[in-house]
Amino acid sequence: MSDSETDPVGVTEEPTGEPTITGSASATSPPQPSTVNPALTGPPYRKELKIQGQIGEPGQRDKLSFMSLVHQIEGAVKKGYPDSEIVAAVIKTVTPGLQLRSYLEGREELELKVLRRLLRAHFQERGATELYQELCGMAQGPKESPQTFLLRALALRQKVLFASKECDVKYDKSLVESMFAHSVSTGLLDSDIRGEMRPLPLQDKLLDEELLERMNKIVSRETDRKKKTQTKSHLVAPVEASRAKAVEEKDKKGAGRSLYDEVQSLKAQINEIHQALTSNTQPRPPRYRRRGCNMCQKNGDEESCHHCYKCGKSGHFARGCRQSENGQGSLLRGEEKPTNM
């Protein structure tokens, strides 16, 4: 038996010198196309898009926020949902009865980009510039913990970056990160925590969750240190208080003694001044006028005198006397004034 008879498939030489493959017809026939169900080759099954939450009035805490809504919209875009389906799902999310829903339902061929602008106006979201200015002036509140302040700063930083994409004003990410680090390092109330947190936000490879963990460790360490310091101060406080009280009493005694000495010195000075004034002055005789005119005084009739004390005449008193001050009051009654010859 030859090799060609025993081997159903073999190689034979043709006159041209090229090898040819010989064998059964099934080996050389083309493959038959397989029959596949066309229903299985269509697009994969996808659930209907639903937005979690509900759009209400601006500022309602139990309703969707603008950031959460946009996050769900972007997630639907990444999953391949068409814009028309996303727009329809968002309109269904608006609370029935709001003017916004009536307006959106009446709007024809509403694009997703236009819908996002309308939603931003409805939620009264601030622009990138206002948010960036708020980030510049951030500070920890008096009743706010350092962890809450850091979370608020992180959220505001994300709002600035998000608003920078949505608005015309663009802020570079490195600029926003630098301002965030500055606000965190200067806005904390505790100086010790502020000093330890200052270099951390500037590290490029430090993630937000790592920054929060560092903040928790720093706050915990500072809290323990303050507790120990307060315990020590409670033990030292009574001793210091007694010392301070003793010093205060001593100062009071010293102040009282010095005040007493000053009063005695003033009294002595006043006595010296009084003695000096009384020793240098002589008593003056009492100044008073005897009753009656000169004639009545000589006769001893002062008590019964009814004459003028000035001129010695009767009929008037000294205060109504018309005699001039020329010595006439010294004339005795009954004497005549000599005439010039």
Side-chain angles (χ1 to χ4, degrees), residues 127-146:
T129 303
E130 297 180 7
L131 294 172
Y132 184 79
Q133 291 177 355
E134 183 180 353
L135 181 63
C136 296
M138 279 198 67
Q140 181 183 355
K143 296 183 180 181
E144 188 178 24
S145 64

Side-chain angles (χ1 to χ4, degrees), residues 201-213:
L202 297 175
Q203 299 180 8
D204 297 334
K205 297 182 179 180
L206 190 64
L207 302 176
D208 294 345
E209 54 269 22
E210 295 177 352
L211 185 62
L212 289 169
E213 291 175 356

Side-chain angles (χ1 to χ4, degrees), residues 150-333:
L150 180 57
L151 285 172
R152 185 162 60 90
L154 289 170
L156 186 57
R157 181 197 65 181
Q158 295 302 120
K159 286 185 178 180
V160 174
L161 294 174
F162 176 76
S164 181
K165 296 178 182 179
E166 295 284 327
C167 303
D168 297 334
V169 181
K170 306 295 181 183
Y171 285 93
D172 186 60
K173 185 177 180 181
S174 59
L175 177 64
V176 178
E177 292 288 349
S178 177
M179 182 52 63
F180 164 76
H182 174 75
S183 299
V184 173
S185 59
T186 58
L188 289 167
L189 294 178
D190 195 291
S191 59
D192 297 327
I193 298 177
R194 185 170 61 247
E196 295 191 33
M197 284 294 297
R198 182 174 288 112
L200 296 181
L202 297 175
Q203 299 180 8
D204 297 334
K205 297 182 179 180
L206 190 64
L207 302 176
D208 294 345
E209 54 269 22
E210 295 177 352
L211 185 62
L212 289 169
E213 291 175 356
R214 295 283 187 87
M215 173 65 83
N216 290 333
K217 291 180 180 179
I218 293 172
V219 172
S220 178
R221 184 166 60 251
E222 287 299 321
T223 304
D224 294 340
R225 185 183 65 81
K226 288 181 179 181
K227 287 182 179 179
K228 293 179 182 179
T229 306
Q230 290 177 357
T231 303
K232 185 177 179 180
S233 63
H234 288 323
L235 297 176
V236 179
V239 179
E240 295 294 335
S242 60
R243 290 180 180 178
K245 188 176 181 180
V247 172
E248 185 178 359
E249 291 178 355
K250 185 177 180 180
D251 293 340
K252 286 182 179 180
K253 290 181 179 179
R257 185 63 182 175
S258 61
L259 181 62
Y260 176 78
D261 295 339
E262 290 179 1
V263 171
Q264 294 299 324
S265 176
L266 289 174
K267 285 184 177 180
Q269 294 177 8
I270 292 173
N271 291 331
E272 292 178 359
I273 294 172
H274 180 69
Q275 292 177 2
L277 292 175
T278 55
S279 61
N280 294 332
T281 58
Q282 295 180 357
R284 294 181 180 181
R287 298 179 63 182
Y288 61 92
R289 181 179 177 83
R290 291 178 63 186
R291 183 177 178 80
C293 60
N294 293 336
M295 182 62 70
C296 291
Q297 289 178 3
K298 290 181 179 180
N299 297 332
D301 299 333
E302 303 94 8
E303 299 295 331
S304 60
C305 178
H306 297 287
H307 306 120
C308 175
Y309 293 172
K310 187 175 182 181
C311 63
K313 296 181 181 181
S314 60
H316 63 274
F317 295 103
R319 61 176 176 273
C321 183
R322 298 182 179 180
Q323 296 290 337
S324 60
E325 297 292 339
N326 53 3
Q328 292 180 357
S330 61
L331 294 176
L332 297 176
R333 188 175 71 255

Side-chain angles (χ1 to χ4, degrees), residues 64-75:
L64 270 175
S65 63
F66 180 70
M67 290 287 292
S68 176
L69 180 60
V70 172
H71 178 72
Q72 295 187 55
I73 292 175
E74 292 180 349

